[in-house]
Amino acid sequence: MTFSFETRKQNIEQAKEKKLDLLIIGGGITGAGVAVQAAAAGMKTALVEMQDFAEGTSSRSTKLVHGGLRYLKTFDVEVVADTVKERAIVQRISPHIPKADPMLLPIYGEAGATFTLFSLQLAMDLYDQLAEITETASANVLLTKAEILEREPDLCPENLEGGGVYLDFNNNDARLVIENIKQAQVDGGLMISRAKVIELLHDVSGKAIGAVVEDQLSGETFMIQARVIINATGAWSDELRRLDHTNDLPPQMRPTKGVHLVVDRSKLSVSQPIYFDTGKNDGRMIFVVPRGEKTYFGTTDTDYQGELEQPRVEPSDVDYLLAVVNHRFPKAQLTVQDIEASWAGLRPLIASNGGSDYNGGSQKTITEESFQKVVAAVKEYVAHPETREKVEKTILEAKASSGGTNPSQVSRGSSLTISPNGLLTLAGGKLTDYRLMAEGAIQKIQEILANDFQRNYSLIDSTEYPVSGGHIDHQKVEEELARLAKLAKEKGLSEDDARYLAHLYGSNLPTVLTYEEPVTGLSVRDSYSLNYALYEEAVLTPTDFLMRRTNFLLFMRGELDQIKEPVIAKMKNFFQWTETETEGYTADLETIITASDLREIKEQIHEKH
C-alpha cells in the first residue's frame, strides 16, 4: 500500500463518483476510530478532515492513555469502568503505541485536596478492581512520605503526607490517530485530509444525503453523497451542526482549553509521571511527565470561547503552570525562558452531560462520606454480584448529594445524537474511550443502513482488530519491538535509532526500511522516517511531519533547527512545489514554531526587564 498525496487525489475522485454508505466528517481520534470499524466491515466509507489528520484536539492531549483515577472522586464510575477496560483494549490493538508507565500521586494535607491518603487507597483499590488488575507488579501501592521523597527527592516536603502509585500508560496521541487512519485506508476507506465541509446536502424531504467539500490545497469544491453522515468533529461539532439549515439544534459543546509546557530534563527531572493537586484549592490537578530527554507538564483547564483552529498559549496559562510546578518542585525555579516547546488544545466536553446514557458521566462532586459509601458498596458487589441493586441505590444517593461544577469537573462522558434530518453526531468522551465510542456509533450506522437502505453488514470484533503497525503480540511487546529493532540494526542503525523506529512504527518497520533513499542533510534514521511519511502516511506539509508523524517540534527541539531545511527541500522536490508554495509552507512552519517556542511571550517579558 501507498498512502501519499497521489493516493489522496485518487480518494477524492472515488469519493466524488461513488454513492457511499458512510461519510465521516472529522479526522481526529473519534472519526478515525469510526473509520476503522466501518471500512473493516466492508461499508463504502469516506472520511474528510479540514486540516491534517489529528491536527486538532487529537494531537494536543496530555499524551496518556489513562483510566481517570480522579473521576472516582467525582464518581463517574461508569466512565472509569469503561475507560480502564478500554485502556487494555487500546494497548491490545495498538501495542507499539501505549506503554505502561506507573503514575505517582503524592498527597498534600491542604484545603481542597482531591484525595486524602485514606480515600486515595480506597480509590486505587477500586480502580484496580475495575481494571481487573491482578498482577502484583501492576497493582497499586500506598507510599509513606519518606518513600515518596526517596522516589522524587525534588518534590516539596512541606505538608506532604504520603501518596500512591497506580498503573497508567503513556501515549503518542497523533501516532494513534494516523495508525487508525492508515488501517481504514488499507481496508478500502477513502481517507482525505485538508478537505473542508462547507455545506450539507439534503434531499427533497430534508434528509441529509451528503456534503459539499472544499479542497484546502487546490481550492476545488466537490460533492460527496452518502447514505449516512456522521459528525465526528469534536470541539467543532456545533460549528458543523450550524451548517445544517434544516433543523434548529441548540449548542451542546463546552470546550475547555488545556495547555502543556516542555522543558529540558536537566531543568526538571522526574523518574516517572506524577499527578498532583495544584495547591491552589481550585479543583485542578497537574501532570508532570518525563518524555525522552524532556519533561512536560500541564494541563490548564479553562473554559474557552476563542477561535477553534489554533488555540493560543496565553501569558496567564504560563504563569499559572510555572507557579504550580515551582511550588511543588521548589528547587526547579523554572522561568518562561526555560520553556522549549508548548501546545494548547481543546477538550470537546459536552455542556449538559449530567449522566449521558451513551458513555456514562456525572459532572458533579460528591461528599467524602458518599464517596466512601459507594466504594464500600462496589467492593461488596465484586464479592457478591447479587448486591447490584445496593450499588445502584448508593450511587444515586451520592449523585443526589453532589454540588456545583467547574471546567475541571465537567464530565468526559460522550454522546451519540441523531438530528431530525438524520445527521449523526458523536461527541465528547476521552481519547482512551475512542474505540468504545466508535463501536456504539457503528452499531447505529449498521442498523440505519439495514433498516433504511436494505444494506446489511457484519461488524468486526473491534476489541481484537489491530490498527496499522499493531500486528504484533500485545503480550510480548518488548520482545516483539526488540525483534523489529534488530532488523533496523542490520541496516546499520545504532541501537537507539533502531529502537526509536521500532517503537514509532511497530509492525510497519519492515516497510519503513524499504525506503532507503538518503535525504541530504538528514540522518539515516530520519531519512527513513521522512520517506515513509511521504509515501505511506499522507504527509502534505513540513508541519505534518515535524509535529504529528514525529515529535521533533515538541520533544526534540534541539534537533529541529538542523533538520527543518532538509525536510522542506525534500518536500519541495517530492511535491514539485513552486518557490511561492515553498515559501508559504516554510512560513506556516515558522509560525507554528514561534507559537510553540512562546517567542512573543518571552520577548514581552524581556522588554519589561
Side-chain angles (χ1 to χ4, degrees):
M1 181 202 94
T2 60
F3 184 34
S4 67
F5 78 115
E6 291 293 346
T7 317
R8 178 179 180 275
K9 293 176 185 176
Q10 297 163 14
N11 284 349
I12 289 173
E13 289 306 310
Q14 291 185 57
K16 289 194 291 190
E17 294 167 2
K18 291 181 179 180
K19 176 68 175 289
L20 300 169
D21 291 314
L22 176 64
L23 172 61
I24 302 164
I25 304 173
I29 192 62
T30 304
V34 175
V36 164
Q37 296 186 38
M43 297 177 187
K44 294 179 180 178
T45 302
L47 177 149
V48 292
E49 161 58 46
M50 68 178 180
Q51 305 180 104
D52 181 28
F53 302 118
E55 188 166 342
T57 297
S58 297
S59 60
R60 301 164 185 263
S61 72
T62 305
K63 305 187 188 302
L64 301 170
V65 179
H66 64 99
L69 178 83
R70 185 176 186 275
Y71 294 116
L72 288 178
K73 184 65 180 196
T74 55
F75 228 80
D76 285 346
V77 177
E78 299 140 301
V79 169
V80 175
D82 284 343
T83 300
V84 290
K85 289 172 184 173
E86 281 303 301
R87 185 181 64 187
I89 294 170
V90 172
Q91 195 277 328
R92 182 160 67 240
I93 63 178
S94 54
H96 60 306
I97 301 178
K99 306 293 194 312
D101 209 359
M103 183 77 66
L104 176 68
L105 199 160
I107 297 296
Y108 286 89
E110 300 169 332
T114 302
F115 291 107
T116 63
L117 280 174
F118 179 66
S119 64
L120 175 63
Q121 180 70 77
L122 291 175
M124 290 195 305
D125 286 348
L126 177 55
Y127 185 85
D128 282 2
Q129 289 174 21
L130 292 172
E132 299 178 356
I133 291 174
T134 56
E135 296 179 25
T136 303
S138 301
N140 75 78
V141 179
L142 202 65
L143 302 176
T144 65
K145 175 179 179 176
E147 290 170 326
I148 291 281
L149 293 175
E150 184 179 354
R151 288 175 179 241
E152 300 297 342
D154 290 339
L155 268 172
C156 178
E158 186 179 353
N159 297 321
L160 179 63
E161 297 182 344
V165 177
Y166 62 95
L167 183 64
D168 233 332
F169 286 72
N170 65 43
N171 181 42
N172 188 326
D173 47 9
R175 292 295 314 170
L176 186 61
V177 175
I178 195 63
E179 299 291 34
N180 275 270
I181 290 287
K182 285 156 62 182
Q183 190 62 50
Q185 177 74 29
V186 166
D187 289 336
L190 307 173
M191 305 291 105
I192 308 168
S193 64
R194 303 194 187 279
K196 182 178 182 179
V197 170
I198 58 174
E199 182 182 346
L200 292 177
L201 300 172
H202 305 86
D203 64 14
V204 291
S205 67
K207 178 176 172 53
I209 57 168
V212 178
V213 180
E214 181 180 73
D215 186 334
Q216 299 298 285
L217 299 183
S218 68
E220 174 197 4
T221 59
F222 56 93
M223 289 189 295
I224 299 178
Q225 296 190 2
R227 297 175 179 89
V228 180
I229 305 170
I230 186 165
N231 172 7
T233 58
W236 285 261
S237 292
D238 288 340
E239 299 287 314
L240 183 68
R241 298 207 305 176
R242 276 193 279 271
L243 287 179
D244 188 357
H245 304 301
T246 66
N247 56 44
D248 184 20
L249 295 169
Q252 67 170 0
M253 305 307 296
R254 180 186 173 182
T256 67
K257 185 177 77 170
V259 168
H260 297 80
L261 308 176
V262 183
V263 298
D264 192 79
R265 204 159 178 177
S266 65
K267 300 286 185 180
L268 179 63
S269 180
V270 294
S271 61
Q272 66 185 108
I274 308 176
Y275 190 33
F276 50 78
D277 284 310
T278 63
K280 292 179 175 288
N281 195 11
D282 57 6
R284 296 183 191 169
M285 296 186 76
I286 296 293
F287 292 97
V288 173
V289 183
R291 181 68 60 104
E293 297 304 312
K294 308 300 174 186
T295 302
Y296 66 93
F297 50 93
T299 176
T300 59
D301 210 353
T302 53
D303 281 311
Y304 184 78
Q305 277 102 32
E307 60 91 16
L308 298 176
E309 286 190 30
Q310 291 294 341
R312 293 170 58 89
V313 178
E314 302 293 343
S316 58
D317 301 320
V318 176
D319 290 343
Y320 179 86
L321 288 175
L322 287 177
V324 170
V325 171
N326 283 332
H327 174 61
R328 292 300 189 211
F329 294 86
K331 294 179 184 176
Q333 292 304 298
L334 298 174
T335 71
V336 68
Q337 303 301 333
D338 294 317
I339 299 167
E340 295 187 0
S342 66
W343 69 91
L346 302 179
R347 294 181 188 79
L349 306 185
I350 299 169
S352 60
N353 190 353
S356 164
D357 61 0
Y358 181 66
N359 193 27
S362 168
Q363 63 197 43
K364 299 182 178 181
T365 60
I366 66 168
T367 65
E368 183 74 18
E369 181 183 4
S370 296
F371 175 74
Q372 292 170 20
K373 284 181 179 178
V374 177
V375 170
V378 172
K379 283 188 171 183
E380 186 175 346
Y381 170 69
V382 171
H384 306 286
E386 67 274 8
T387 62
R388 178 187 176 111
E389 185 177 338
K390 180 178 179 180
V391 178
E392 293 173 342
K393 182 174 182 290
T394 308
I395 290 174
L396 290 173
E397 289 172 351
K399 289 182 176 180
S401 72
S402 57
T405 186
N406 66 41
S408 296
Q409 296 168 334
V410 173
S411 172
R412 300 302 297 275
S414 58
S415 71
L416 178 66
T417 57
I418 306 179
S419 303
N421 72 352
L423 174 70
L424 291 169
T425 296
L426 179 58
K430 304 189 300 301
L431 181 146
T432 310
D433 297 333
Y434 86 91
R435 186 216 60 87
L436 181 65
M437 292 169 61
E439 181 181 74
I442 210 73
Q443 289 169 355
K444 188 62 173 177
I445 292 162
Q446 176 195 38
E447 177 188 316
I448 293 170
L449 289 172
N451 293 342
D452 296 354
F453 301 98
Q454 292 71 56
R455 296 179 68 82
N456 298 299
Y457 294 97
S458 299
L459 303 183
I460 60 163
D461 178 1
S462 60
T463 68
E464 300 286 348
Y465 196 76
V467 302
S468 182
H471 297 260
I472 59 177
D473 186 342
H474 72 277
Q475 294 180 321
K476 298 179 180 177
V477 176
E478 287 305 316
E479 296 97 315
E480 291 276 79
L481 293 180
R483 175 182 58 80
L484 288 163
K486 187 177 178 183
L487 299 178
K489 287 175 68 177
E490 290 170 358
K491 291 280 190 177
L493 278 80
S494 69
E495 176 75 29
D496 286 347
D497 285 350
R499 283 182 55 81
Y500 169 86
L501 292 177
H503 282 261
L504 200 62
Y505 300 114
S507 61
N508 286 322
L509 184 57
T511 303
V512 175
L513 295 175
T514 66
Y515 290 97
E516 296 184 272
E517 181 185 352
V519 177
T520 303
L522 294 187
S523 68
V524 175
R525 182 197 77 179
D526 297 337
S527 294
Y528 279 125
S529 279
L530 180 55
N531 288 324
Y532 180 73
L534 291 170
Y535 284 101
E536 305 274 0
E537 295 197 325
V539 159
L540 299 174
T541 76
T543 308
D544 294 350
F545 176 69
L546 294 168
M547 175 73 96
R548 287 174 289 277
R549 303 304 182 273
T550 64
N551 282 147
F552 278 102
L553 214 147
L554 296 181
F555 302 123
M556 293 180 278
R557 183 65 184 84
E559 299 174 48
L560 180 64
D561 291 333
Q562 285 71 50
I563 71 164
K564 64 184 181 183
E565 289 185 11
V567 167
I568 292 167
K570 170 68 176 183
M571 288 191 173
K572 178 185 179 182
N573 181 59
F574 184 82
F575 294 115
Q576 294 295 292
W577 288 337
T578 64
E579 288 297 332
T580 301
E581 288 173 324
T582 305
E583 289 170 4
Y585 287 121
T586 302
D588 289 343
L589 174 60
E590 288 301 328
T591 298
I592 297 295
I593 293 173
T594 296
S596 175
D597 285 354
L598 304 180
R599 213 166 291 168
E600 291 182 9
I601 295 175
K602 291 175 181 176
E603 287 172 357
Q604 291 169 11
I605 291 174
H606 180 72
E607 288 170 4
K608 286 181 182 178
H609 294 85

